[in-house]
């Protein structure tokens, strides 16, 4: 009798869900929706067959399942799974490229709706630490799709490639040209993606701007992150707004203290040297820092020695 009562309540009461309970597949927080994304709706009374569940593993997925349909911005979604508490669906083509729109769950003549955001999610940028001219400038990137693990620096296995194509910098509205270094290729032993990764400190999920742009003059700059790889389900490019940051003029005491601190770090941990220490040294292209970088070209660790050897190209570029 109780089971029959629960089923009757399920069929009579309208669906219940909120915009906060519409989450991307493998995501834990609401995101902007784009065509092709796989999305889950969590709520109550979502299935048109009471407590029964329906599912289909492979496309083409139907627009109606278990007596339930879902409309996004007036367009029917393809349904992968429907149960009393959950609907898995694919965002249809033709939803708004930006702004907000309605999501509506229809079941047995009753429905419920919520308002969602559409369009590409934006990455967020901020300085990882105060920036000074001629010293390290790191920008922290909070990617829009956090389940992907965030930024991992260095980006490439090639030790002659310290930068990334994902970052653009401009000053006074004019784009800055990325550094062009005279550094040849080579063979790397040890692959950075996995064996070398940032630690958990202030540099986590951060990119060194000074390894790609000259930032030796104080002033206000703008930076934009544009990830060239596509989001697996939707092809959305992860992109930030242009974000202002200030490069301050360092005092002579600050610069001297920083150089002294860098000179006291004769360490050999592979991940720390490649992802943190050597990139910092490349910000100050003078004789003192060059000598430190040269000392690491004699490292018995092949990965470290190759990164240091190719890092010397920064000091050659500083002469021109």
């Amino acid at each position: 009798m109780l089971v029959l009562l629960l089923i009757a309540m399920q069929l009579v009461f309208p669906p219940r869900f909120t915009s906060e309970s519409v989450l991307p597949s493998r995501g834990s927080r609401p995101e902007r929706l784009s065509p092709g994304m796989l999305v889950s709706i969590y709520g109550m009374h979502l299935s048109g067959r009471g407590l029964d569940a329906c599912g289909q593993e492979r496309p083409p997925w139907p627009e109606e399942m278990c007596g339930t349909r879902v409309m996004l911005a007036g367009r029917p979604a393809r349904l992968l799974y429907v149960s009393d508490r959950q609907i898995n669906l694919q965002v249809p083509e033709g939803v708004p490229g930006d702004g907000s729109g309605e999501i509506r769950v229809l079941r047995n003549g009753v429905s419920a709706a919520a308002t969602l955001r559409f369009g590409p999610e934006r990455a967020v940028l901020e300085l990882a630490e105060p920036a000074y001219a001629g010293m390290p400038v790191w920008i922290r990137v909070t990617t829009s799709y956090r389940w992907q693990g965030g930024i991992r620096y260095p980006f490439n296995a090639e030790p002659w490639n310290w930068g990334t194509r994902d970052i653009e910098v401009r000053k006074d509205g004019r784009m800055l040209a990325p550094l062009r270094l005279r550094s040849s290729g080579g063979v790397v032993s040890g692959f950075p993606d996995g064996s070398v990764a940032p630690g958990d400190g202030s540099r986590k999920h951060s990119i060194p701007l000074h390894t790609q742009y000259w930032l030796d003059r104080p002033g206000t700059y703008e930076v934009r992150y544009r990830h060239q790889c596509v989001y697996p389900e939707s092809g959305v490019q992860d992109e930030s707004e242009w974000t202002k940051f200030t490069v301050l003029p360092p005092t002579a005491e600050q610069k001297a203290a920083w150089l002294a601190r860098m000179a006291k770090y004769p360490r050999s941990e592979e991940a720390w040297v490649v992802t943190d220490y050597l990139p910092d040294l490349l910000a100050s292209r003078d004789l003192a820092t060059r000598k430190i970088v040269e000392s690491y070209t004699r490292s018995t660790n092949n990965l470290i020695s190759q990164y240091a050897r190719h890092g010397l190209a920064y000091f050659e570029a500083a002469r021109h």
Side-chain angles (χ1 to χ4, degrees):
M1 188 67 180
L2 179 59
V3 173
L4 293 176
L5 178 61
L6 291 174
I7 293 175
M9 291 174 61
Q10 160 70 19
L11 297 177
V12 170
F13 289 119
R16 290 177 56 187
F17 70 98
T18 67
S19 57
E20 287 73 25
S21 65
V22 181
L23 305 177
S25 175
R26 293 174 288 179
S28 59
R29 67 180 183 90
E31 304 277 5
R32 291 177 178 267
L33 303 186
S34 296
M37 283 180 63
L38 300 181
V39 177
S40 294
I41 304 173
Y42 298 95
M44 297 179 63
H45 313 311
L46 302 178
S47 173
R49 292 186 185 173
L51 301 179
D52 290 342
C54 305
Q56 183 168 314
E57 292 185 0
R58 296 180 177 85
W61 296 303
E63 295 176 357
E64 182 171 336
M65 185 179 286
C66 261
T68 297
R69 302 178 69 227
V70 178
M71 305 293 291
L72 287 106
R75 296 181 177 272
R78 298 285 181 177
L79 305 182
L80 291 70
Y81 173 82
V82 173
S83 71
D84 177 37
R85 302 278 179 121
Q86 181 177 343
I87 300 174
N88 296 343
L89 59 92
Q90 185 179 44
V91 179
E93 296 290 335
V95 297
D98 197 8
S100 61
E102 182 186 78
I103 180 170
R104 181 172 293 274
V105 175
L106 304 98
R107 191 220 68 217
N108 294 335
V110 294
S111 68
T115 300
L116 300 179
R117 298 176 301 150
F118 290 91
E121 195 73 26
R122 295 286 187 177
V124 178
L125 309 184
E126 60 181 337
L127 281 175
E129 56 204 52
Y132 295 92
M135 295 173 65
V137 179
W138 291 75
I139 200 81
R140 184 180 296 114
V141 181
T142 303
T143 56
S144 60
Y145 302 104
R146 292 185 177 91
W147 56 263
Q148 290 183 320
I151 295 297
R152 290 165 59 88
Y153 178 83
F155 297 89
N156 308 282
E158 303 91 349
W160 54 91
N161 192 348
W162 289 87
T164 169
R165 293 176 297 176
D166 293 347
I167 283 288
E168 299 172 314
V169 176
R170 68 187 184 187
K171 191 175 189 302
D172 301 326
R174 299 178 60 182
M175 300 290 290
L176 299 187
L179 294 172
R180 296 185 179 276
L181 306 177
R182 298 177 180 178
S183 183
S184 60
V187 179
V188 59
S189 176
F191 194 73
D193 187 12
S195 63
V196 176
D200 293 327
S202 62
R203 301 286 177 76
K204 186 177 182 180
H205 305 320
S206 298
I207 298 174
L209 300 189
H210 58 272
T211 60
Q212 192 165 345
Y213 297 94
W214 293 125
L215 298 173
D216 52 351
R217 295 183 180 181
T220 299
Y221 295 77
E222 292 179 285
V223 60
R224 180 171 66 178
Y225 173 77
R226 301 187 70 203
H227 189 43
Q228 302 301 318
C229 295
V230 297
Y231 181 76
E233 282 83 15
S234 65
V236 174
Q237 186 180 56
D238 199 1
E239 183 176 339
S240 73
E241 303 284 355
W242 281 103
T243 303
K244 291 184 179 181
F245 67 98
T246 300
V247 175
L248 303 170
T251 65
E253 292 77 12
Q254 281 178 314
K255 189 66 177 289
W258 177 78
L259 287 172
R261 186 170 66 253
M262 299 300 289
K264 292 179 181 179
Y265 282 146
R267 291 162 55 179
S268 58
E269 293 92 335
E270 182 180 82
W272 181 78
V273 172
V274 172
T275 69
D276 195 304
Y277 183 62
L278 286 178
D280 270 5
L281 289 168
L282 302 183
S284 179
R285 302 169 183 101
D286 54 26
L287 182 59
T289 51
R290 181 190 176 101
K291 287 183 177 179
I292 299 174
V293 174
E294 284 180 336
S295 71
Y296 278 90
T297 65
R298 298 184 288 275
S299 172
T300 56
N301 182 301
N302 189 47
L303 183 67
I304 291 176
S305 64
Q306 288 201 58
Y307 268 89
R309 178 165 58 85
H310 290 287
L312 293 175
Y314 283 85
F315 301 92
E316 297 298 325
R319 297 179 180 179
H320 304 284

